[in-house]
Amino acid sequence: MRLYDVALDSRLLLGTSQYPSPAILAEAVRASGAGIVTVSLRREAARLREGQDFWRLIRELGVRVLPNTAGCHSVKEAVTTAHMAREIFATHWIKLEVIGEADTLQPDVFGLVEAARALCAEGFEVFPYMTEDLVVAEKLVEAGCKVLMPWGAPIGSGRGLNNVFGLRALRAHFPEIPLIVDAGIGLPSHAAAAMELGYDAVLLNTAVAKAGDPVVMAKAMAQAIEAGRAAYMAGPMEPRDMAAPSTPVLGRANLT
Amino acid sequence: MTLIVNGEPREIAAATLSDALVALDYADAIVATALNGDFVPARSRAATPIKDGDRIEIVAPRQGG
């Protein structure tokens, strides 16, 4: 898989939030095999220095980071956060979130397109967190996005793929653009389903972090993503309504 | 003078954003800064004057989804 000309072995992108401890986070990242983890920027207290410790831990994992603009509700906040992230993390990558609704955390797609246009023009490589809307996708591609990240379901909901039809249409419409299902995954079967649709990768966090055993779940997600990808490449059969015997009918003994 | 640092009022003496970071004990920390809502790159902090009532945001890497 290639994302903005970077070759990656793993099709799992893992979030780093809400783990029971930093040690479990580190172990889960290793178990997942993820080559990319998402990170954020938050206020740093001079005395506590939590961010300094966290950043040391992430650097020791040797993975690529994808900073986000989580919590930004305006274009200005998102663009400013992207600038801060580029300086701190020394990457042009940005997971662009412009949140439009507090209950569903669904993106403000109008602000998203505007922010994406501004950031792409400045040389950022934008990973937009979006709805599965085809027209929004077109506008983001026009703005310069070379990866699209539609949601499966609201962030942290664990509901899986709410609109399989829409996700399938997006895949068919953009055969050449890497597509990543971002948010809403709760189970390995959800992640496998996304991959079976032909999605290039899955970004998830809560499903692993909030599992009883995050390390085991991280591994399970990695296996599901690998299986789903292999199934897509293998070319699944077409479903049908009525039964079709798999054992040959010809040659059946007459035992009446 | 009084600055609003990450939402809290702080009394410090500083002429530039760079001075303020030292006074606030962030001198050796990996942080990004904004002044009154606008990003100030690290290389510009020493040339960025600050005044009473300015809002400074100081952020660092943190867990994210």
Side-chain angles (χ1 to χ4, degrees), chain A residues 15-17 38-46 49-52 54-55 68 76 80 83-84 87-89 95 205, chain B residues 6-7 24-34 37-42 45 57-65:
Chain A
T16 56
S17 207
T38 51
V39 292
S40 74
L41 288 175
R42 288 293 178 262
R43 284 171 167 174
E44 181 81 329
R49 304 217 166 193
E50 291 170 88
Q52 312 301 306
F54 171 72
W55 185 219
N68 68 27
K76 179 174 187 293
T80 302
H83 284 138
M84 293 171 127
E87 178 177 278
I88 283 208
F89 297 111
K95 173 182 163 178
N205 184 346
Chain B
N6 286 346
L24 293 163
D25 199 22
Y26 288 97
D28 60 340
I30 296 169
V31 293
T33 51
D38 293 324
F39 172 56
V40 180
R45 287 175 194 155
E57 292 289 330
I58 303 169
V59 298
R62 198 61 56 85
Q63 295 83 351

Side-chain angles (χ1 to χ4, degrees), chain A residues 218-233:
Chain A
K219 179 72 179 167
M221 287 294 184
Q223 289 169 330
I225 287 165
E226 210 171 302
R229 177 66 184 177
Y232 172 72
M233 295 307 285

Side-chain angles (χ1 to χ4, degrees), chain A residues 8-31:
Chain A
L8 295 146
D9 293 331
S10 169
R11 292 174 182 274
L12 170 57
L13 290 78
L14 192 63
T16 56
S17 207
Q18 300 182 294
Y19 290 79
S21 71
I24 291 174
L25 160 63
E27 213 183 320
V29 171
R30 279 191 285 265

Side-chain angles (χ1 to χ4, degrees), chain B residues 5-59:
Chain B
V5 179
N6 286 346
E8 300 288 334
R10 298 287 300 267
E11 284 294 329
I12 59 160
T16 66
L17 182 55
S18 187
D19 295 342
L21 286 180
V22 173
L24 293 163
D25 199 22
Y26 288 97
D28 60 340
I30 296 169
V31 293
T33 51
L35 178 62
N36 299 322
D38 293 324
F39 172 56
V40 180
R43 64 177 182 281
S44 305
R45 287 175 194 155
T48 301
I50 52 172
K51 60 181 189 316
D52 191 52
D54 276 348
R55 286 183 298 119
I56 299 176
E57 292 289 330
I58 303 169
V59 298

Side-chain angles (χ1 to χ4, degrees), chain A residues 119-236:
Chain A
L119 291 170
C120 289
E122 290 183 52
F124 280 89
E125 294 177 328
V126 176
F127 294 63
Y129 164 64
M130 56 181 284
T131 56
E132 70 281 7
D133 189 289
L134 280 185
V135 181
V136 170
E138 289 278 12
K139 301 285 182 199
L140 288 167
V141 171
E142 276 171 26
C145 296
K146 293 187 169 63
V147 173
L148 297 174
M149 301 208 298
W151 65 349
I155 295 170
S157 69
R159 297 182 62 85
L161 309 182
N162 268 354
N163 181 3
V164 170
F165 171 82
L167 291 170
R168 190 183 287 128
L170 197 63
R171 177 70 288 176
H173 207 73
F174 296 96
E176 305 299 330
I177 303 253
L179 297 179
I180 301 172
V181 167
D182 173 13
I185 299 296
L187 289 167
S189 54
H190 300 153
M195 299 306 292
E196 288 165 8
L197 290 176
Y199 273 66
D200 293 279
V202 172
L203 197 170
L204 56 90
N205 184 346
T206 313
V208 166
K210 290 295 187 187
D213 187 334
V215 178
V216 172
M217 188 60 85
K219 179 72 179 167
M221 287 294 184
Q223 289 169 330
I225 287 165
E226 210 171 302
R229 177 66 184 177
Y232 172 72
M233 295 307 285

